[in-house]
Every structure is written in C-alpha cells, then in structure tokens.
Amino acid sequence: MRCLEKYRDYFVYLQAHGEEEERLQVPYGDVTQKEKQIIQKKLFELMECFTGIHRDKLIWLCEDMGLVELDMQRLNGKWKWTRVDAAYNLGIMRSKLAVPALMTLLQKNTNDTSVFIIARSVAKCARNTEDLREMATHVVRAKNNVHQLIVDIISDSQVDTAPLFAQFLQDSDAELVKIGLIGYAVHAQPGIEPALYQLIQSPDKEVRIKAVKLMCRDIRYMNEQTLTDFMNHKDWEIRAMAAKAIGSLKLHAYIPSLKKAVGDANWWVRHHSARSLAQLEVEGFAALCEILQEERNSHKSEMAHQVIQEELEKEKLVLQSATATEKLVQYNEKLHLYRKSYRKTISTVQALER
C-alpha cells in the first residue's frame, strides 16, 4: 500500500499519456526490485483495460524498467513456481526475446498443468508460426486430449495463425491434424478443401469424423458423390452427420437417401434420418408416411412413426399460438398423409390375417 501510494501520481501519468507518440517515462528516482514487482502488477492491470498502442506502450515500459530482464533471470530460479510465475509475467509482457528460454522451460515441465501456463506464454510471445508449431507439438505429445485447449492457447498469439492450421491439416502426425481441424473450424479460411477431402480417408477415426463434420456444415461440399459416400460410410458417426446435414441444409433432392437410411442398423443414423425428413416440409413428411405403408413391425417403421407423432404434436402446439393460414394448411396436409398411410397399413394387416 505504501508503494502504490508513493507512485499514485505516476499511475495517473500512465493513463493520461497512453495515446501520445513518445515512449512512457520510467518512474523517477531509484526504484527497488520489490517496488518494480509491485509496479509490474499494476501495469498488468492496466494492460487488461487497454488495447492497441496504449497497451503496446505499457509493454515497452516494462522493457525500459528492466522488468523483462528481471523475469528472464527468475526463469532460472531455484523454485519451480518462481519459474512458472516468471513465465506467466513474460507472456503478459509479450517478450519475443524470452521465447527460447520459455521453450526450454516448457520442455522441462510436462508432469502437471504448469505446462499450459508456459505454453500460453510462448504463444503470446511467439515470433512466428514456427514457434507456435514447436509449442503445439510438444504439448500435444505431453498431454492427451488437449487439442481444443491448444487451439485456444494459439489464439492468444499476435501471429497470423491461418497458415499454421493449414500446415497442420497436411501433417503426417494425426494429433497435429486434429489441432488443424479444430483451428480451421474456429478460424475458417478458404482454400483448405483439398486437404479435407484427403482426410476423409485417414486411418485415424477421429480425424475422419472431424473432417466430415466440417464439410457437413457447408453446402458447397454437399454434392451428390460426397453425400453418397457419406451415407454409405463404414463409420456410423459419419452416416449420422450426413443425414443430419441434409435436413439442416434443406437438401430436398436427397429425400430418397434419407428414407433408406431410416432403416440403418445404427439407432443414431435412423434418428437423424427421420428427423431430417421431418425438416423437409410436406415432401419429407410424406416419405415418413410412405415408410409406414411399406414397412411393418420393424425398427424403420417404429422410428418413422415416432417422428411423425412428434412432428404433428409440435405443429399442433404452434397452431395454438399462431393464426398463420399457411401453417394450418401444412398441418392439415401432413395429418391427412398420416391418416391415409395409417389406414392403408391397417388394411394390409387385416388382409394378411384373413
């Protein structure tokens, strides 16, 4: 408190002169190491409040005050958490000079969560994509199932990360490919389509699923050959994603494919296929009703009947809260289709019994 009071006017000066062109002045007089560390914490608080040139000037001030040099020395300290704290501080100050030392510290710390603190500091200080690549490669090999976290850490970098994620997509290491796929999903960039098509054939199932998931959210990929491949894929997850995408993207041309997939051996594929048919207006609903006529006492007819009932109930509730004539006409048309198919089913059963 004495230190903060002593430098109160200095902190006011920092906030008042943040937009000017010249560098900020260091505190007047002799500043002890302890005072420097207290001032440093205050500078970090100010950095959280500012962006752009104002924050850059605070970072330059940290260099001019010797704070970067102080934490570089602390990286070699006796106590582990002193070294980790120094790494954290260097990340906040985005010191490019610290990258080699931070990378060395990262390679020595793999047994606990401190690896993520150090990795984030590397990302913030990174000079280029090669620094980020080296960091990501080390972390993904040291820890399991951290691909999403690594993408989040990389996003803290001031380096353009799009080329890095593109490189990862073409890497032979499946773990780096997964990072690239997640990064591409978050920071979508054009020109990656060929790599995605190749990854569908990857021997790693998770890679295949992540690649198809990306493609299924973009209508540009949903051509006839691709959807045919997806709907007949050996992985049920891919068949289910493709079935779901047809409904969400309103691809009416693939109603026959969905109708067939309602009879898939996997429950999730049947579920998403039937739900997608329900999304495709009256035409898709009619296909569900056709299943009732064509199938009897099967998983396929059971799923179709369940979704039909849910769809009619949902539309009935909508009609109770709205007066749109179009909605009423659509509901009545669907109800007529269902009753018609149901009567035909009963008639068929009775004929067989006779």
Side-chain angles (χ1 to χ4, degrees):
M1 291 178 65
R2 285 197 300 271
C3 177
L4 293 175
E5 179 62 27
K6 176 180 177 181
Y7 292 100
R8 183 178 59 179
D9 291 342
Y10 180 69
F11 297 137
V12 173
Y13 155 76
L14 294 179
Q15 297 180 63
H17 294 77
E19 301 296 334
E20 297 178 6
E21 293 185 5
E22 67 274 7
R23 294 172 83 101
L24 294 167
Q25 298 296 314
V26 299
Y28 178 76
D30 293 329
V31 184
T32 67
Q33 179 172 315
K34 188 64 179 177
E35 287 178 333
K36 283 185 178 182
Q37 291 178 310
I38 295 172
I39 292 173
Q40 182 184 51
K41 298 302 180 185
K42 186 65 177 180
L43 293 178
F44 288 175
E45 291 178 14
L46 293 175
M47 287 180 197
E48 292 294 321
C49 301
F50 300 113
T51 58
I53 186 61
H54 203 155
R55 187 173 65 179
D56 290 341
K57 292 181 67 173
L58 291 172
I59 292 173
W60 299 335
L61 176 62
C62 289
E63 296 175 359
D64 294 343
M65 287 183 62
L67 297 176
V68 171
E69 182 181 355
L70 175 61
D71 278 309
M72 289 284 287
Q73 294 172 359
R74 294 177 70 224
L75 279 181
N76 299 314
K78 179 179 179 181
W79 303 105
K80 173 184 176 178
W81 291 105
T82 297
R83 298 193 295 270
V84 173
D85 182 66
Y88 173 82
N89 290 346
L90 289 165
I92 296 294
M93 294 183 289
R94 290 173 166 76
S95 172
K96 299 186 185 305
L97 295 174
V99 173
L102 287 172
M103 207 72 75
T104 300
L105 183 64
L106 180 66
Q107 293 168 0
K108 294 178 180 178
N109 288 264
T110 57
N111 297 325
D112 55 47
T113 56
S114 66
V115 66
F116 302 118
I117 298 174
I118 302 168
R120 196 174 291 275
S121 290
V122 172
K124 290 180 176 180
C125 299
R127 301 160 295 185
N128 48 49
T129 57
E130 191 55 40
D131 288 339
L132 295 174
R133 181 186 179 87
E134 185 179 347
M135 176 274 293
T137 301
H138 179 75
V139 175
V140 81
R141 289 176 181 170
K143 301 293 182 181
N144 296 323
N145 301 317
V146 292
H147 310 94
Q148 184 72 56
L149 180 55
I150 291 175
V151 171
D152 178 68
I153 289 172
I154 290 175
S155 68
D156 275 349
S157 175
Q158 294 177 307
V159 176
D160 180 12
T161 58
L164 177 67
F165 292 130
Q167 291 172 19
F168 282 161
L169 288 180
Q170 301 176 54
D171 202 280
S172 58
D173 187 334
E175 299 306 307
L176 294 180
V177 173
K178 293 170 189 176
I179 296 173
L181 286 167
I182 295 172
Y184 179 71
V186 177
H187 310 282
Q189 294 290 330
I192 313 297
E193 291 83 354
L196 291 180
Y197 282 110
Q198 291 178 355
L199 293 176
I200 298 171
Q201 309 302 325
S202 170
D204 189 293
K205 183 176 181 179
E206 187 178 349
V207 169
R208 295 195 300 268
I209 291 173
K210 287 184 181 296
V212 172
K213 187 176 182 180
L214 276 177
M215 296 178 72
C216 281
R217 71 182 195 179
D218 192 331
I219 197 169
R220 292 176 302 167
Y221 302 121
M222 297 295 100
N223 57 59
E224 184 176 358
Q225 184 59 56
T226 300
L227 269 173
T228 300
D229 291 343
F230 288 173
M231 294 297 287
N232 293 284
H233 203 278
K234 63 180 181 178
D235 298 328
W236 69 262
E237 295 92 342
I238 290 177
R239 299 198 304 274
M241 283 189 291
K244 188 176 181 180
I246 291 173
S248 61
L249 297 174
K250 303 294 183 184
L251 302 177
H252 289 74
Y254 299 98
I255 286 177
S257 298
L258 289 176
K259 183 179 173 183
K260 178 182 177 182
V262 177
D264 195 275
N266 181 271
W267 185 90
W268 282 108
V269 179
R270 297 198 301 271
H271 171 77
H272 286 304
S273 298
R275 291 305 311 158
S276 285
L277 284 173
Q279 287 180 274
L280 298 176
E281 288 83 37
V282 175
E283 189 180 356
F285 189 87
L288 287 171
C289 293
E290 289 170 6
I291 292 173
L292 294 185
Q293 299 174 35
E294 298 164 0
E295 304 285 334
R296 188 166 63 89
N297 299 327
S298 66
H299 290 308
K300 187 173 184 179
S301 60
E302 181 183 336
M303 180 61 72
H305 192 262
Q306 177 185 333
V307 172
I308 286 171
Q309 295 281 10
E310 291 173 359
E311 187 68 11
L312 289 173
E313 187 63 30
K314 183 177 70 175
E315 293 207 3
K316 187 177 180 180
L317 291 173
V318 171
L319 288 172
Q320 291 175 355
S321 60
T323 58
T325 305
E326 184 179 345
K327 290 286 185 182
L328 180 59
V329 170
Q330 190 177 79
Y331 172 75
N332 287 334
E333 189 172 355
K334 288 182 177 180
L335 186 61
H336 172 71
L337 286 168
Y338 170 59
R339 287 174 175 170
K340 182 179 176 182
S341 64
Y342 188 73
R343 284 196 298 269
K344 285 187 177 181
T345 303
I346 295 299
S347 298
T348 303
V349 172
Q350 291 173 345
L352 289 172
E353 290 175 347
R354 287 197 296 269

